[in-house]
Amino acid sequence: MKVFAKDQVVFDFSKANAPVYFVEAGETFWVETDDCYSGQIKTEKVLRPDIDISIMDCSVGPIAVNGAGPGDVLCVEVLAIQLAEQGVMVTSPGLGVLGEKITKAHTKIIPIKNGFAEFNERIKLPLTPMIGVLGVAPAEGSVHCAVPGDHGSNMDTKLVKVGSRVYLPVFVSGANMALGDLHACMGDGELSGTGIETAGRVCLKVDVIKKQKLQRPMLETAEAVYTLASKNDINEAIKTAVNDMVEFLMLKKSLDFADAYRLLSAACDIQISQLVNETITVRVKAPKLDLQLQSVF
Ligand code: CA
Ligand code: ZN
């Protein structure tokens, strides 16, 4: 199985970045990644304001998927996530929902051992490994890896985890996927501004679904399907994700708008992936049980 090393990175998603790794549709492979600080914070002596932010938030890739082209959908299945032996959480003035309460920067190193993140001597958190950044090259322009959008990227959704499938629209030949920003644990909202940031490696399987209409990322777990929308304004993000779900329900369940809208209200939940970055990502969850879906497409 191919293993892609973490030394080949991009700082933005752009069709101008030539692919460095290559896979076939249907292939399973490993990708090694550094943490979102590119490994600059290994001890509690290093504070967030001290690091070189120009090398933060990189993604490993681009990975070209042979056979993927504009108008197709890339299905990325997360098969395994292996974490490093420690993670880091920083606090810094202005960071997160209560950032104004932080007067000085502080770094906490959190050991990752035996399935737990050892937050302190009394609190051990079961690991919930997830991928913060997973995206493809957009049709036009260049978008920094910290910014989510219709091309995926820094969606910071805790559901990009083992067993999930992420569906991304393909805008350029090969899709030119890249990923990074693993978290050992993260709650919805990423409320203090970081998850438990860690290096590691992930095992992915990619498939290409030819000529399927998809404007923005969708996600599928064993229990549910999700639409995801990223916007600077949270209300606009909610409206977009809700509209995407209503259109999905209309199509999949052969409903008119009013009935799909009712089904949305009766069975679906609005959720927040993260709300602490400038661009906010929200999800709408539709339970599969009620939809009797086998898969998104
Ligand atoms: Ca992130
Ligand atoms: Zn992160």
Side-chain angles (χ1 to χ4, degrees), residues 36-37 57 132 154 156 181-183 186 190 193-198:
C36 68
Y37 306 114
D57 294 318
N154 191 16
D156 275 326
D181 188 30
L182 300 188
H183 300 143
M186 194 196 87
E190 200 182 26
T194 86
I196 300 181
E197 308 290 333
T198 184

Side-chain angles (χ1 to χ4, degrees), residues 257-278:
F257 178 85
D259 258 352
Y261 197 33
R262 285 186 193 101
L263 185 57
L264 168 91
S265 198
C268 299
D269 297 317
I270 191 86
Q271 301 175 335
I272 295 171
S273 293
Q274 63 80 9
L275 48 70
V276 291
N277 294 342
E278 205 173 311

Side-chain angles (χ1 to χ4, degrees), residues 72-113:
D72 297 338
V73 170
L74 189 69
C75 172
V76 184
E77 191 174 350
V78 184
L79 299 177
I81 300 178
Q82 295 176 348
L83 304 171
E85 289 173 352
Q86 68 177 35
V88 58
M89 292 191 88
V90 300
T91 49
S92 198
L95 196 61
V97 173
L98 303 178
E100 78 281 0
K101 291 198 165 188
I102 302 285
T103 52
K104 71 188 215 310
H106 184 260
T107 294
K108 188 179 180 76
I109 297 290
I110 299 172
I112 298 169
K113 252 188 230 163

Side-chain angles (χ1 to χ4, degrees), residues 107-219:
T107 294
K108 188 179 180 76
I109 297 290
I110 299 172
I112 298 169
K113 252 188 230 163
N114 305 322
F116 290 89
E118 300 187 347
F119 191 79
N120 66 23
E121 277 162 21
R122 289 171 294 111
I123 300 171
K124 293 189 185 4
L125 300 169
L127 298 175
T128 53
M130 51 148 295
I131 304 168
V133 176
L134 173 65
V136 294
E140 294 300 333
S142 151
V143 188
H144 192 274
C145 294
V147 181
D150 292 354
H151 65 299
S153 186
N154 191 16
M155 296 184 287
D156 275 326
T157 188
K158 66 178 191 179
L159 300 174
V160 184
K161 61 178 185 175
V162 171
S164 293
R165 291 193 187 105
V166 181
Y167 298 89
L168 297 164
V170 178
F171 301 105
V172 307
S173 177
N176 292 359
M177 180 178 88
L179 62 137
D181 188 30
L182 300 188
H183 300 143
C185 300
M186 194 196 87
D188 274 340
E190 200 182 26
L191 298 170
S192 82
T194 86
I196 300 181
E197 308 290 333
T198 184
R201 53 187 224 151
V202 302
C203 185
L204 302 175
K205 178 174 186 282
V206 290
D207 275 302
V208 177
I209 304 158
K210 297 304 286 182
K211 301 299 168 201
Q212 283 285 344
K213 196 170 158 276
L214 183 69
Q215 276 185 285
R216 272 171 290 278
M218 286 187 72
L219 189 144

